[in-house]
Amino acid sequence: ELQVVESGGGLVQPGGSLRLSCTASGFIVSSNYMSWVRRAPGKGLEWVSIIYSANVTHYADSVKGRFTISRDYSKNTLYLQMNSLRAEDTAVYYCVGYYYMNVWGEGTTVTVSS
Amino acid sequence: IQLTQSPSSLSASVGDRVTITCRASQDISNYLAWYQQKPGRAPRLLIYAASTLQSGVPSSFSGSGSGTDFTLTISSLQPEDFATYYCQQLSGFPFTFGQGTQLEIK
């Protein structure tokens, strides 16, 4: 069964940092398109970032320069390093596998508040 | 690339046929997917490449369109279909979602 499980969410102050992790089973993270998608309270889905091929990466304009996506082959894990966090980054963050996003985790909640 | 879904919300009854539209701000060929999300749950892929049904998704769901205009149709609404639906373009970065269509029970 194809599965991803996120971790690392929590409460952080504005300007702080957090690293999300996503561990996959049933498929190889480093061989596939992997993305992060978020949903803020009361809002719709927002695509955040993607990594694919030889670690090519792309970001939403709203997080460019603050977030970094990466992956570890040996741990079959995807990461999202989030720096300079803002209140508007508060959301449930989903790890998603494959180009057409058919493997979703249950999400991890990030709350940015003082 | 911006995606505009319509309507933003829709009330319908079990057994109804419903159609949701998604318009792209530029030609995206068939690089479009549709997702369903229920409260407190992760989204679920329904349709990819504009018209290909994802494995395990009921055949009551169908997608069509290419270029800039796309539709998601549910041929006969079931109680479990009441949810929020999103389109997404995968033609160019950044990938974007439509704003969502909330489908409610009438």
Side-chain angles (χ1 to χ4, degrees), chain A residues 23-99:
Chain A
T23 301
S25 55
F27 69 103
I28 299 173
V29 165
S30 297
S31 300
N32 288 282
Y33 286 76
M34 297 295 299
S35 301
W36 290 96
V37 173
R38 67 185 181 184
R39 185 173 185 184
K43 301 284 186 67
L45 297 175
E46 180 184 15
W47 178 85
V48 173
S49 182
I50 193 169
I51 187 167
Y52 61 96
S53 296
N55 290 333
V56 177
T57 61
H58 294 278
Y59 299 91
D61 290 343
S62 58
V63 307
K64 198 174 295 183
R66 300 187 299 122
F67 290 11
T68 302
I69 191 171
S70 62
R71 52 192 178 182
D72 186 323
Y73 174 81
S74 65
K75 296 181 179 179
N76 207 31
T77 298
L78 177 74
Y79 300 100
L80 186 68
Q81 177 67 44
M82 305 186 295
N83 299 330
S84 302
L85 283 161
R86 307 166 179 167
E88 54 265 35
D89 296 318
T90 295
V92 176
Y93 285 74
Y94 297 99
C95 168
V96 194
Y98 294 92
Y99 178 79

Side-chain angles (χ1 to χ4, degrees), chain A residues 39 44 47 58 94 99 101 105, chain B residues 35 37 42 86 88 90 94-95:
Chain A
R39 185 173 185 184
W47 178 85
H58 294 278
Y94 297 99
Y99 178 79
M101 303 179 180
Chain B
Y35 301 86
Q37 188 174 31
Y86 296 91
Q88 183 201 25
L90 301 97
F95 289 170

Side-chain angles (χ1 to χ4, degrees), chain B residues 22-24 64-71:
Chain B
C22 179
R23 175 163 289 176
S64 65
S66 66
T68 61
D69 294 310
F70 302 87
T71 61

Side-chain angles (χ1 to χ4, degrees), chain B residues 17-82:
Chain B
R17 178 185 179 92
V18 299
T19 298
I20 299 169
T21 65
C22 179
R23 175 163 289 176
S25 59
Q26 65 187 69
D27 189 339
I28 59 170
S29 184
N30 69 335
Y31 292 99
L32 188 101
W34 290 95
Y35 301 86
Q36 176 195 66
Q37 188 174 31
K38 298 180 180 179
R41 302 288 301 275
R44 171 196 184 193
L45 176 67
L46 300 174
I47 302 282
Y48 63 94
S51 60
T52 303
L53 193 68
Q54 170 68 6
S55 176
V57 174
S59 59
S60 56
F61 289 89
S62 63
S64 65
S66 66
T68 61
D69 294 310
F70 302 87
T71 61
L72 172 71
T73 299
I74 310 172
S75 60
S76 179
L77 275 174
Q78 299 303 302
E80 60 268 26
D81 298 335
F82 292 93

